[in-house]
Amino acid sequence: MNKTSLCIICMILALCLCACSVSDNSSTSESTESKTISSQPEKSKENNKEIIRQNVDVVSFKDDTLTVLADNSEMAFDTKPYYEKTGLKSLDSAVINNSCGIPIKAEISYYKEDNVLVGLDVIKPNGKELSGEFNIKSIADNIALIEQQGNEYQADIKSLAGDGYAVFDDERLKRPYSLIGIVFSDTDKCVVTSMLPFSDEKDGIKNYGTEESDIIPKYICAQVKSKDGAVVTATRNDNGQDVVFTAAMYPDGVSFDNGEHIFYAPLGGSDADEKTSEHTMCVILPAGDITGEIIYTSTQDKTPAIYISYNGEQIKLETQTIIDKNGKQIDINNLKSGMSVTVNADDIRYMGSVYDKCYYVNSVMVE
């Protein structure tokens, strides 16, 4: 074979390799290219079921039911099966039920034949993920003013209200925080679902988290008298003393109407009984009448205890006074499983930490 023929063969091989390379790159590019879902339904098949994908406006997300507006018609989805398999319910719920007043769009996927939800994205249509180390400048009414490298955001922290951690006390406010959430497009507003204080640094690695001592040990039950901005005035059930504090965090179940019962606890510490000074930052939880059925009783401790089923959970009631509907005293040893129990909100003194599920009450009525 002469040199000319050899050169021609090499050129042909080089051209073939280049063609293969371009073909491979084109294939890779096409397969990894993200598809934009329009408001018009997009159909596909999975497990012989037709899947509908489309952009929708979210109407509400409450009690595991997601309601959306698609093609000018409302659709409702039971999200429980979806979140049992995948998804981040706490994040989705926090974004949809945000305190910023921002309407939410979503990309959803569902089986056409039975309306079973198989996909939900509320981040991409509304903003972008937010994470990193932040400083907290102030906090009140479920809104924290946070800062990162000169950029300030108004952070909705309502989803953190029921966690039972004292992560925003005066000492920790001076530390940086590790934050996870979503910042809404073209705004300085964001929703936060995780915010942990700096704890220590080892080998150049910063650690964030809470300790067991950070858990709020006691929530005092009180009756709301007024709310002016974020400042709440309430009367304690146990001693009739008026207290004034700043409502830092509270869930949707609290409205601060005059006469409403709430649980409150200063975010700083373990002496919740003595912390009654003005403008103490507090986390608030809803309080109300307790009704349920007896599971069992205990007299092992100094204070008799009644364990009941309440809102699908087992809780503990500690009291020295058990009465029937006529006000007659009942011995705890005469109580039986299945009996009905009622505690008026006025008779609740305080609740142990949200993990203890123990209520300390003046009296319990049994029928």
Side-chain angles (χ1 to χ4, degrees):
M1 183 181 297
N2 57 36
K3 291 183 179 180
T4 303
S5 299
L6 183 61
C7 288
I8 292 173
I9 291 172
C10 289
M11 289 173 64
I12 292 172
L13 286 172
L15 287 171
C16 289
L17 287 171
C18 288
C20 289
S21 177
V22 170
S23 174
D24 287 344
N25 289 338
S26 299
S27 174
T28 302
S29 175
E30 183 177 355
S31 64
T32 58
E33 183 181 358
S34 60
K35 296 182 179 180
T36 302
I37 301 177
S38 69
S39 59
Q40 297 300 315
E42 181 180 294
K43 300 178 181 179
S44 64
K45 286 278 189 178
E46 181 181 284
N47 298 328
N48 294 322
K49 288 186 177 182
E50 186 174 335
I51 295 180
I52 304 295
R53 295 182 175 89
Q54 66 183 124
N55 277 358
V56 296
D57 295 312
V58 177
V59 177
S60 65
F61 185 20
K62 186 177 180 182
D63 298 331
D64 294 319
T65 299
L66 174 69
T67 304
V68 302
L69 187 64
D71 300 328
N72 297 319
S73 298
E74 283 195 1
M75 300 178 64
F77 297 93
D78 178 8
T79 63
K80 198 169 182 180
Y82 169 71
Y83 287 118
E84 286 175 351
K85 296 179 180 178
T86 184
L88 294 172
K89 182 178 179 179
S90 59
L91 176 60
D92 293 343
S93 177
V95 171
I96 293 170
N97 298 314
N98 69 85
S99 299
C100 306
I102 295 178
I104 299 301
K105 296 184 179 295
E107 292 182 0
I108 64 170
S109 305
Y110 60 94
Y111 291 132
K112 181 181 179 181
E113 64 184 55
D114 49 17
N115 272 17
V116 172
L117 187 70
V118 294
L120 174 65
D121 184 355
V122 296
I123 295 180
K124 187 166 66 175
N126 301 291
K128 62 181 181 180
E129 290 184 358
L130 189 70
S131 63
E133 188 178 87
F134 290 77
N135 294 312
I136 299 177
K137 303 187 72 174
S138 65
I139 170 177
D141 263 348
N142 284 330
I143 300 296
L145 184 62
I146 62 175
E147 179 270 334
Q148 182 188 57
Q149 298 178 350
N151 297 316
E152 290 189 356
Y153 301 90
Q154 296 180 52
D156 175 2
I157 57 172
K158 181 174 62 178
S159 65
L160 305 178
D163 284 353
Y165 287 110
V167 294
F168 295 112
D169 64 339
D170 291 338
E171 179 186 351
R172 288 174 183 77
L173 277 173
K174 299 172 185 176
R175 309 181 195 175
Y177 279 73
S178 173
L179 179 153
I180 297 175
I182 170 178
V183 59
F184 294 108
S185 301
D186 303 320
T187 73
D188 63 349
K189 295 178 172 59
C190 60
V191 164
V192 172
T193 56
S194 175
M195 188 179 279
L196 297 174
F198 170 78
S199 57
D200 57 30
E201 184 172 350
K202 294 180 180 178
D203 300 325
I205 299 176
K206 291 184 176 181
N207 298 305
Y208 305 84
T210 53
E211 301 173 1
E212 189 174 344
S213 59
D214 296 326
I215 298 174
I216 296 174
K218 184 186 295 185
Y219 287 79
I220 305 299
C221 194
Q223 195 168 16
V224 175
K225 294 180 71 174
S226 64
K227 184 173 185 286
D228 182 9
V231 179
V232 178
T233 302
T235 304
R236 290 173 54 153
N237 279 1
D238 57 348
N239 60 17
Q241 179 181 359
D242 281 356
V243 288
V244 181
F245 50 80
T246 297
M249 293 187 293
Y250 50 89
D252 281 335
V254 178
S255 62
F256 295 104
D257 293 334
N258 186 19
E260 177 186 19
H261 283 88
I262 59 171
F263 288 111
Y264 78 90
L267 285 169
S270 56
D271 325 24
D273 259 330
E274 287 69 43
K275 296 260 187 166
T276 57
S277 60
E278 188 171 349
H279 291 219
T280 301
M281 289 191 304
C282 290
V283 61
I284 314 297
L285 297 175
D289 295 349
I290 299 173
T291 58
E293 290 187 351
I294 295 176
I295 302 174
Y296 66 95
T297 61
S298 172
T299 56
Q300 292 180 352
D301 299 324
K302 292 181 179 179
T303 304
I306 304 173
Y307 293 82
I308 69 169
S309 58
Y310 173 64
N311 288 343
E313 295 181 313
Q314 176 179 297
I315 68 168
K316 178 183 179 183
L317 302 175
E318 283 203 6
T319 184
Q320 295 283 5
T321 306
I322 305 169
I323 59 174
D324 63 16
K325 60 182 179 180
N326 297 317
K328 183 179 178 181
Q329 189 92 12
I330 302 176
D331 189 297
I332 191 171
N333 295 309
N334 293 330
L335 301 183
K336 293 181 174 60
S337 174
M339 286 183 167
S340 297
V341 168
T342 301
V343 178
N344 292 324
D346 288 331
D347 285 323
I348 302 173
R349 292 185 290 127
Y350 60 92
M351 173 182 68
S353 80
V354 290
Y355 303 102
D356 289 342
K357 303 296 182 186
C358 182
Y359 294 77
Y360 302 82
V361 302
N362 293 326
S363 65
V364 174
M365 187 183 75
V366 178
E367 294 185 79

